[in-house]
Amino acid sequence: MLEVRFIRENADRVRKAIQDKGEAVDFDRYLELDGVRREVVGERDRLRHEHNTASETIARLKRDGQDAAGQIADMKALSSQIKELDQKIRTIDTELTELRAAIPNIPHPSVPVGDVTANEVVRDWGKPREFSFSPLPHWEIGKTLGLLDFEAASKIAGAHFVLYRGLGARLERALINFMLDVSTKEKGYTEVFPPFLTNREAMFATGQLPKLEEDMYRCEVDDLFLNPTGEVPITNLHREEVLREDQLPLKYAAYTACFRREAGSYGRDTRGLLRIHQFNKVELVKFVVSESSYEELETLLSDAEDVLQRLGLPYRVVCLATRELSFAAAKCYDLEVWAPGVAQWLEVSSASNFEDFQARRANVRVRRSGKTGTELVHTLNASALATPRTVVAIIEHYQQEDGSVVIPEALRPYMDGLERLR
RNA sequence: GGAGAGGUGGCCGAGUGGUUGAAGGCAGCCGCCUGCUAAGCGGUUGUGGGGCUUAAAACCUCACCGGGGGUUCGAAUCCCCCCCUCUCCGCCA
């Protein structure tokens, strides 16, 4: 969410951001209402001032044991006038708040303007492997080796779910543990294990609501949402808090199961693990002081890259263009790993800087040492990878002609030293 | 789910209808003092909106005592609904 005054004073920038991101907000209506509101509030506050002054007089009269019946009668009229204006303001606020909540964050100047074709490949690492045979897609390998069981999953839950079986399940668990260990033992992230259900306030704070309500699973009786990404519970960990400067940067890592309805994406990535309703992630979140957030974005990105490098998976880093940026993000890098079986670059992580957009919604502030007052923190997050697509890449990249799959060395300690799935 | 207690500023904690934005303490900041440190003394320090200002500060003003409604000329204080925390009971992994 952007600051009301900022929007008013930078209407052009905001309008451009809305256009560049392709968001649908009636911005003219917003500006109009904002003006109306200011007028009405001004009038209301004038009346209230008058009212407050009179109240003091009444209080004084009463205290002195004098009669104040006349003043009280006058106040009745004023009081009801104020209530009318209050009601008017309430109506305006409802619409205004809704409009403001739909205004996206402003892209950083370094972000290319445009749609997916404007995405910039910043760098790549490793080379897609050359095969002397025709590489198979992961669902075939997974079935042959008994790692992935989509039939069972659909029996249990439905289409677009997976059941990992045997060493497949073990590989999944190994990946999670590996990523958590790297993040917590080597990179200084604090591990947390948050609830997988979150409430509306939390979803609003990180920007999933109101826009993405249809994309999430919702438990209607309790009005709770199944976690769509670890970013939500972790970022909300400090909601409504004032942090001390010396606590920053705060770095968290968490394993979470993630749930997405993927409404509207039927027909895309329909096979295998590419797009499923429930998946696992280890998420990294940082709370930082504003002036350091772009440096922190780079180190966050390299923390995520490091995981891929250790797994030996060729990838590229893509700076997303404005249209591809999420609602709350100011800048975002996608990490795409090459999956030879499906011959696609797969997004396994994205590192984003939200600047103070989420912090304003979540009201997470910092008190600077030696200064009065508080300011908003900046929040960032990245995945230390989403497992399904990482599993896809591992299985497809490390497949052998004999049908077996070599386990990346980094994962072997987590698989009892096993070197190969066969 | 039932019964009870409670939610006040960065923190602790007073306050049951009228100068209470809120006593007191802690922490912070600015001075003073003490040969250092600790202590002591005085002052000061909330957030958000609007106005004024080229801008900021200052200043004026409105709101904010878990959230939302209501009663009243006037609510942190009274009433209603909701959320959260704690204790006991019940139920259950």
Side-chain angles (χ1 to χ4, degrees):
Chain A
M1 198 150 58
L2 300 172
E3 195 179 5
V4 173
R5 198 182 311 163
F6 175 88
I7 299 172
R8 195 147 57 216
E9 289 169 2
N10 299 274
D12 292 344
R13 283 179 66 191
V14 176
R15 193 187 302 278
K16 183 168 187 321
I18 294 169
Q19 272 167 12
D20 289 348
K21 275 194 164 181
E23 298 287 343
V25 199
D26 190 345
F27 190 53
D28 289 325
R29 175 69 177 156
Y30 172 87
L31 290 175
E32 181 198 336
L33 269 184
D34 179 55
V36 173
R37 189 196 127 89
R38 245 196 317 169
E39 272 179 41
V40 179
V41 165
E43 175 62 17
R44 192 266 319 262
D45 285 353
R46 265 192 300 283
L47 293 181
R48 278 225 267 239
H49 176 55
E50 196 182 317
H51 186 266
N52 285 347
T53 317
S55 276
E56 271 175 48
T57 312
I58 293 173
R60 201 175 317 115
L61 288 172
K62 286 258 184 188
R63 207 174 32 246
D64 298 344
Q66 296 182 42
D67 178 56
Q71 282 85 346
I72 287 175
D74 291 343
M75 282 304 93
K76 273 191 181 164
L78 189 54
S79 189
S80 70
Q81 227 182 102
I82 291 170
K83 271 191 183 136
E84 265 174 47
L85 288 180
D86 276 339
Q87 191 49 52
K88 198 169 168 184
I89 291 165
R90 217 174 286 171
T91 310
I92 294 171
D93 274 347
T94 307
E95 190 180 346
L96 205 52
T97 307
E98 208 173 287
L99 285 167
R100 182 158 81 113
I103 295 174
N105 200 0
I106 295 184
H108 188 267
S110 65
V111 171
V113 176
D115 62 11
V116 63
T117 60
N119 284 357
E120 278 173 16
V121 176
V122 176
R123 62 174 163 271
D124 48 33
W125 184 90
K127 287 226 161 54
R129 179 182 152 201
E130 306 264 341
F131 285 84
S132 57
F133 59 97
S134 170
L136 298 170
H138 62 278
W139 55 83
E140 287 188 20
I141 304 166
K143 184 168 187 178
T144 310
L145 296 182
L147 308 173
L148 308 173
D149 191 339
F150 292 100
E151 288 77 16
S154 77
K155 210 181 325 184
I156 297 163
H160 305 291
F161 282 91
V162 68
L163 181 141
Y164 297 95
R165 188 185 276 282
L167 287 173
R170 188 64 193 275
L171 179 65
E172 182 77 3
R173 186 154 58 90
L175 260 176
I176 293 167
N177 283 331
F178 164 67
M179 296 188 292
L180 277 173
D181 281 350
V182 170
S183 306
T184 59
K185 293 180 183 171
E186 298 179 29
K187 316 270 182 168
Y189 290 83
T190 300
E191 183 171 352
V192 291
F193 199 135
F196 291 170
L197 288 167
T198 52
N199 58 32
R200 264 179 196 282
E201 292 76 59
M203 283 298 174
F204 179 81
T206 39
Q208 273 69 26
L209 288 179
K211 194 185 166 186
L212 300 176
E213 176 140 12
E214 296 307 309
D215 294 325
M216 296 187 288
Y217 287 100
R218 178 174 159 217
C219 305
E220 201 161 334
V221 281
D222 297 299
D223 203 26
L224 293 169
F225 296 85
L226 264 71
N227 172 55
T229 161
E231 165 194 351
V232 178
I234 314 174
T235 307
N236 275 280
L237 202 155
H238 291 294
R239 185 153 48 99
E240 305 292 338
E241 285 184 22
V242 178
L243 306 166
R244 289 191 324 274
E245 185 175 11
D246 61 18
Q247 290 178 276
L248 302 182
L250 277 166
K251 298 161 67 176
Y252 293 101
Y255 156 74
T256 63
C258 303
F259 304 87
R260 297 185 183 176
R261 293 186 62 230
E262 300 293 356
S265 60
Y266 291 119
R268 270 168 62 200
D269 307 325
T270 50
R271 296 204 68 179
L273 290 174
L274 297 187
R275 191 172 294 277
I276 50 182
H277 291 308
Q278 177 189 325
F279 60 97
N280 295 310
K281 265 207 296 184
V282 170
E283 192 80 0
L284 308 174
V285 171
K286 289 186 187 180
F287 298 80
V288 307
V289 291
S290 56
E291 67 272 16
S292 71
S293 70
Y294 279 93
E295 280 166 47
E296 295 283 359
L297 177 63
E298 297 301 322
T299 55
L300 183 64
L301 175 63
S302 68
D303 286 344
E305 286 185 65
D306 188 36
V307 174
L308 283 177
Q309 291 178 12
R310 292 192 198 204
L311 293 172
L313 297 171
Y315 67 88
R316 63 184 190 184
V317 179
V318 178
C319 180
L320 295 187
T322 52
R323 274 265 162 162
E324 297 288 295
L325 265 187
S326 70
F327 176 75
K331 183 168 184 172
C332 176
Y333 295 108
D334 270 5
L335 244 53
E336 299 180 342
V337 65
W338 178 251
V342 293
Q344 282 181 46
W345 291 99
L346 302 177
E347 178 194 339
V348 291
S349 176
S350 58
S352 308
N353 186 357
F354 302 98
E355 299 186 357
D356 64 12
F357 192 86
Q358 292 181 331
R360 183 170 296 106
R361 289 188 170 212
N363 196 22
V364 184
R365 294 171 295 155
V366 57
R367 184 181 303 283
R368 299 291 192 127
S369 58
K371 286 189 189 164
T372 55
T374 58
E375 55 188 77
L376 294 166
V377 300
H378 280 194
T379 61
L380 306 96
N381 84 272
S383 315
L385 307 192
T387 59
R389 291 176 182 173
T390 307
V391 166
V392 168
I394 290 173
I395 292 178
E396 295 188 0
H397 179 79
Y398 286 106
Q399 62 180 297
Q400 306 299 310
E401 193 154 16
D402 65 3
S404 66
V405 172
V406 171
I407 297 171
E409 272 181 49
L411 291 181
R412 291 179 194 168
Y414 296 89
M415 309 262 316
D416 294 332
L418 195 67
E419 293 177 14
R420 215 175 258 258
L421 304 169
R422 62 173 85 234

